[in-house]
Amino acid sequence: MFQNILNSYGLDADQCLIEPFGSGLINHTWKVSLADAEYILQRINNNVFKNPEKIDDNLYHIKKYLQATVPEYLFAAPLATLDHKTVVISDGEYYRMLPFVKNSHTIDNVTNSDQAYHAAKQFGKFTRLLNDFDPEKLGYTLPDFHNLSLRVEQFKEAIQNGNKERFNLGNDEIKEVILHMDIAEKYAQIKKKREIPLRVIHHDTKINNVLLDDNDEGLCVIDLDTVMPGYFISDVGDMMRTYLSEANEEEQDVKKVNIREEIFTSIYKGYMEEMDGILTPIEKDLFIYGGKFMIYMQAVRFLTDFLNGDVYYQTSYPDHNLSRARNQIALLKQYIRSEQNFRETIDGMEIKIN
């Protein structure tokens, strides 16, 4: 399976140890080890990313810009083959090779404030370093990925045309989504009035998309397939959605869904140390909204998929997507209850700008 791909890089599969690597759910990833070198091999999921060449083009432009402006920055870009390509197509599948960063690791869950701080700092640094790069040069690898207006329209269509039995099962969750529709209305206003600028945004700021060193300090961000033009609320919101609670979106017992306010403090501190001098006043005012934006959107997406018969997200038990939606609604309500405390934290914090 790997021989032709590795040959493209001048490697012999018989001389390599190839083993599955990481916990990503979209792309297939392997670690390729030789006596004197280590690499990461990935197969891009072209069922999700319909145009993998667009990913490759985006990374080319970003790599070129960063090499010219901050050559010391660790940017884990795809390596070139012997014929100078950064994507290998084999049997209709798309592959790429990346350097393996020694003395680095990832984690799947935020267990302390320092981890949240260093992750937020790395995502903020990435966007800051690309502040003068024109985001319009990048293609949309997942069009409408964080378009909340579209997700709400899909939700409304699911209510009209979805499974009626499931509508009854999810009636309480439907009411909650409708109750918090002001979050979507605010997003529509932001877009219509162009209140905040497009930036180069990662769009998938889970903790396992940050490389950490042996001291759990941040090295760089990875998994760059979703890097494209977007609003900063996508990145800060996804951090809050996935870092604040000890229980992730798969937890069925909503009593275990909580908000760790000290983690919010660390996210804000780490991100703003990099971005405080970059964000506009309106963006700063929207920082807390970012969490509501992403938590609400994920609740809408899970509930919509449940009403439509589980056509997008993989499920492992009946009503799995309804459980996920219920989980995110619980997180949203807890987040809103903590909102005043978040504001007081921000008002009382002094940020050291890098």
Side-chain angles (χ1 to χ4, degrees), residues 281-295:
I282 293 178
E283 285 177 305
K284 292 177 184 179
D285 287 343
L286 289 170
F287 192 95
I288 295 173
Y289 169 78
K292 292 191 289 188
F293 164 74
M294 281 301 300
I295 297 168

Side-chain angles (χ1 to χ4, degrees), residues 27 42 49 55-56 58-59 62 66 73-78 96 98 123 126 141 201-202 204 209 220-228:
N27 298 325
Q42 282 190 326
F49 298 100
I55 296 173
D56 193 52
N58 284 355
L59 297 184
I62 292 172
L66 291 175
Y73 177 70
L74 178 58
F75 183 64
R96 63 186 170 200
L98 303 141
F123 285 114
F126 180 72
T141 58
I201 299 299
H202 188 284
D204 188 10
N209 282 337
C220 65
V221 300
I222 57 173
D223 280 1
L224 304 169
D225 296 344
T226 55
V227 173
M228 52 188 164

Side-chain angles (χ1 to χ4, degrees), residues 21 24 26-30 41-45:
F21 186 81
I26 304 299
N27 298 325
H28 289 269
T29 305
W30 300 268
L41 176 66
Q42 282 190 326
R43 183 173 73 218
I44 301 173
N45 187 334

